Amino acid sequence: MAEYPCGGECRCGCHPLAVPRSQAWKERDVANWIEKLGFPQYKDCFTSNKITGRKLIFVNCSTLPNMGITDFEHMKVISREIRKLLDVEESVWCRSIFLPHRGPMGLFLERKALTGQRADALTLEEFLKELDD
């Protein structure tokens, strides 16, 4: 994840938000990425669960065991690498319930992970405008 003066995902203008290229990945692209990451044994776990680039936002240490990945050290590495790939921060367990559970990019990626015309057509600019309204 990139380091910025504000500490990460922000809207202060210290860095522009950009949609990660991995959003266009198909299941085979994600499987190839997990193999290159050093976990070829998990390629089938990702493909059988139909994990595309748009679905990666939902993959973390809580969901990996349901996919068949139970080695805790592997889970930590995979989760960290997904956050780096998507340029999102880990949710802080001690955050105020008043705050959203993710930063702007994470919230956008969650919306884009949905299926349908509305999610397909949503742009980052439109989403950020919705957040401001």
Side-chain angles (χ1 to χ4, degrees):
M1 192 169 330
E3 293 295 324
Y4 301 103
C6 66
E9 284 190 40
C10 80
R11 306 272 310 282
C12 73
C14 68
H15 73 284
L17 292 178
V19 178
R21 288 184 299 210
S22 59
Q23 286 294 285
W25 287 0
K26 306 290 184 217
E27 293 170 21
R28 71 179 176 281
D29 300 316
V30 173
N32 289 336
W33 174 78
I34 202 72
E35 180 177 37
K36 287 178 188 169
L37 198 56
F39 300 106
Q41 68 272 34
Y42 299 138
K43 281 179 73 170
D44 289 339
C45 295
F46 280 80
T47 54
S48 66
N49 284 284
K50 301 184 182 328
I51 303 298
T52 64
R54 284 172 64 165
K55 300 294 182 188
L56 278 173
I57 189 69
F58 298 123
V59 178
N60 56 42
C61 284
S62 296
T63 58
L64 287 169
N66 294 331
M67 293 171 53
I69 301 170
T70 56
D71 182 299
F72 188 62
E73 293 304 315
H74 293 180
M75 292 166 52
K76 290 190 311 186
V77 171
I78 293 167
S79 293
R80 181 182 65 240
E81 292 301 318
I82 289 172
R83 287 191 311 272
K84 284 170 49 175
L85 180 69
L86 301 178
D87 197 21
V88 295
E89 291 187 3
E90 184 174 14
S91 297
V92 180
W93 64 270
C94 62
R95 69 172 175 72
S96 167
I97 60 171
F98 173 75
L99 299 172
H101 67 284
R102 291 191 189 267
M105 181 54 73
L107 293 171
F108 170 72
L109 295 175
E110 283 182 4
R111 287 269 302 275
K112 286 297 283 185
L114 302 174
T115 57
Q117 284 182 319
R118 193 169 178 199
D120 290 344
L122 182 66
T123 66
L124 180 58
E125 294 76 24
E126 290 170 347
F127 179 77
L128 293 175
K129 188 174 185 297
E130 281 181 23
L131 280 182
D132 286 339
D133 292 343

